[in-house]
Structure formats: structure tokens, C-alpha cells
Amino acid sequence: QVQLVESGGGLVRPGGSLTLSCQTSGFNFVVTDMNWYRQAPGKQRELVASSTKLGTTADYADSVKGRFTISRDNAKKSVDLQMNSLKLEDTAVYYCNAHNIWRLDAWGQGTLVTVSS
């Protein structure tokens, strides 16, 4: 079955870095867009970064441009989110999402990132 498992969350000080990883299985990874979303307390879930199928395009929310980098490994069927220069407002639960034209829309369980001094 389709599985997305995130890891790498934790507590980090402002200005620090974290790398989130999402290991997937159960679907054709190469032809699937992979996304990272986040949801802060009391806020709606928002799209943070996207990597289109085959990794040809990466897009970012304005709030993370220049600080976050999404990368995918099609051989390992995984996608990472490198987060640098973290800010207090980056605190959220981060979710990995898989989406393709064959009606796949799958989510991981989420991993908590807390930025605090």
C-alpha cells in the first residue's frame, strides 16, 4: 500500500538548520509530484515546497525561498527538505505529500519542527 514516512523533525534554535526526510513506497515515485506542507498551530496547512515528477521543477513559498531546498532521489523514492536559517515562524508540523494525475493524493503522518530559543 501507499506509505509516506517523515523523519528529521525536532527542536532547533533560530538560525539553525534541519533536514526533513520522507521515505515512500507503494506508488510510482518517478511520475509523482512530491510536496512538503506545514501547519502551524491555529493556522491552515500551507504548501512550502514542491518537486515535480522527475525532479524537473522545484517551487517554494515566498516565506521560505532562499532558505529551504527540496530534493528528491528517484532511485530511493525519497524526498528531503533542507531547512536553513530557521525562524520562529517556521515552527509547525511538516507533512510530506504525494500527488499525481492518477488520483494519488497521499500524506505522511507529519513531523514536528519547533524553532525556539
Side-chain angles (χ1 to χ4, degrees), residues 4 7-8 22 27-28 41 43 46 54 63 67 69 73-74 83 87 89 99-100 105-106 108:
L4 290 79
S7 62
C22 176
F27 60 94
N28 191 338
K43 294 189 177 182
E46 64 170 342
L54 303 177
S63 59
R67 300 188 297 121
T69 302
D73 186 326
N74 286 335
M83 306 185 295
K87 303 177 180 180
E89 53 264 39
H99 184 271
N100 65 30
D105 188 21

Side-chain angles (χ1 to χ4, degrees), residues 28-103:
N28 191 338
F29 185 85
V30 172
V31 297
T32 297
D33 296 339
M34 296 301 301
N35 309 299
W36 284 97
Y37 285 78
R38 69 185 180 188
Q39 187 165 19
K43 294 189 177 182
Q44 290 188 329
R45 191 172 296 188
E46 64 170 342
L47 179 62
V48 174
S50 297
S51 174
T52 56
K53 59 184 180 181
L54 303 177
T56 50
T57 304
D59 290 311
Y60 301 91
D62 288 342
S63 59
V64 306
K65 278 182 181 177
R67 300 188 297 121
F68 290 11
T69 302
I70 188 170
S71 60
R72 61 192 291 162
D73 186 326
N74 286 335
K76 294 182 178 179
K77 299 182 180 180
S78 65
V79 59
D80 288 352
L81 184 68
Q82 172 69 43
M83 306 185 295
N84 297 325
S85 302
L86 283 161
K87 303 177 180 180
L88 296 175
E89 53 264 39
D90 294 319
T91 295
V93 178
Y94 284 72
Y95 297 91
C96 180
N97 167 258
H99 184 271
N100 65 30
I101 62 171
W102 294 280
R103 301 183 181 178

Side-chain angles (χ1 to χ4, degrees), residues 15-26:
S17 299
L18 275 178
T19 299
L20 306 182
S21 296
C22 176
Q23 182 62 55
T24 76
S25 61

